[in-house]
Amino acid sequence: MKRYLLISLCFLAYHGQAADWPQWRYDASRSANSPEQLDDKLELIWTRTYSKRVQTWDDPLNNDLMQYDRIFEPIVVGDLMILSFNDRDKVVALNTQTGKEVWQFFTEGPVRLPPSADKGKLFVCSDDGYLYCLDLATGKEIWKFRGGPSALKGIGNKRLISSWPARGGPVVRDGNVYFTASIWPMMGTFIYSLDAATGKINWINDGTSST
């Protein structure tokens, strides 16, 4: 069976410490542009092996077009690396120095997109329709918010999921977290800005779908 290796590298110039990578592609702009300067000499310090990822849209037509959960896309904050698991319905925190698991948190559906971290909190979207706010250090739930209008579920990509799965990866900026729920315009689509500390709604855009 083919397996993927997840590898942590030690940046020698910083004695194993480097700048955070708190969101997918580094920041809220998804710029993939970090001010961090890597040392010329890198050293492998540990590896973790997990089963091969199976992407959501595995049919030939979408195989190359929708690759968002085809591989691990970790974020790193301090001494924690956070991974999303679309097959185990969870997020996992690993210690960046040792590779050991620090905590894990389970949702009620696949976690297909990378989380985002800000000010000691972790924001996780799940196919169960919820955005979760977790304590970054412990993985304990602080609050959660359902993106769809009800708890209705159905079969999606061979799994029982919300009829409005939260498949818009969370973005955090200026104390607010943004995410979307639903993938089918005919079901209604929901775009939210929430207060990152409390989960209260700043605004909602639910009028851009075909309903």
Side-chain angles (χ1 to χ4, degrees), residues 50-168:
Y50 296 105
S51 59
K52 181 180 178 181
R53 302 296 85 199
V54 178
Q55 66 192 94
T56 305
W57 303 102
D58 57 357
D59 58 283
L61 178 62
N62 292 309
N63 217 11
D64 296 324
L65 298 176
M66 306 179 76
Q67 303 182 36
Y68 53 82
D69 62 344
R70 191 173 186 174
I71 60 174
F72 286 113
E73 294 174 328
I75 66 168
V76 177
V77 182
D79 288 335
L80 293 179
M81 174 185 289
I82 313 297
L83 300 175
S84 301
F85 285 78
N86 60 5
D87 56 344
R88 300 294 181 183
D89 306 354
K90 66 179 180 178
V91 286
V92 171
L94 304 178
N95 183 288
T96 57
Q97 302 302 309
T98 65
K100 292 183 178 180
E101 185 175 299
V102 178
W103 56 257
Q104 58 182 352
F105 177 84
F106 288 89
T107 69
E108 297 295 324
V111 182
R112 301 192 182 278
L113 295 157
S116 292
D118 184 65
K119 297 179 180 179
K121 295 181 175 63
L122 185 72
F123 301 93
V124 180
C125 282
S126 171
D127 270 12
D128 64 10
Y130 282 89
L131 171 72
Y132 294 84
C133 175
L134 311 179
D135 181 88
L136 181 61
T138 65
K140 301 297 184 182
E141 182 181 310
I142 299 174
W143 54 261
K144 67 179 182 178
F145 182 91
R146 190 182 69 207
S150 78
L152 181 66
K153 294 187 177 183
I155 300 298
N157 305 110
K158 305 175 184 177
R159 295 292 306 277
L160 181 64
I161 64 173
S162 169
S163 295
W164 301 271
R167 287 196 191 168

Side-chain angles (χ1 to χ4, degrees), residues 183-194:
I183 54 177
W184 305 115
M186 64 182 180
M187 295 290 292
T189 55
F190 304 86
I191 307 171
Y192 291 94
S193 169
L194 306 180

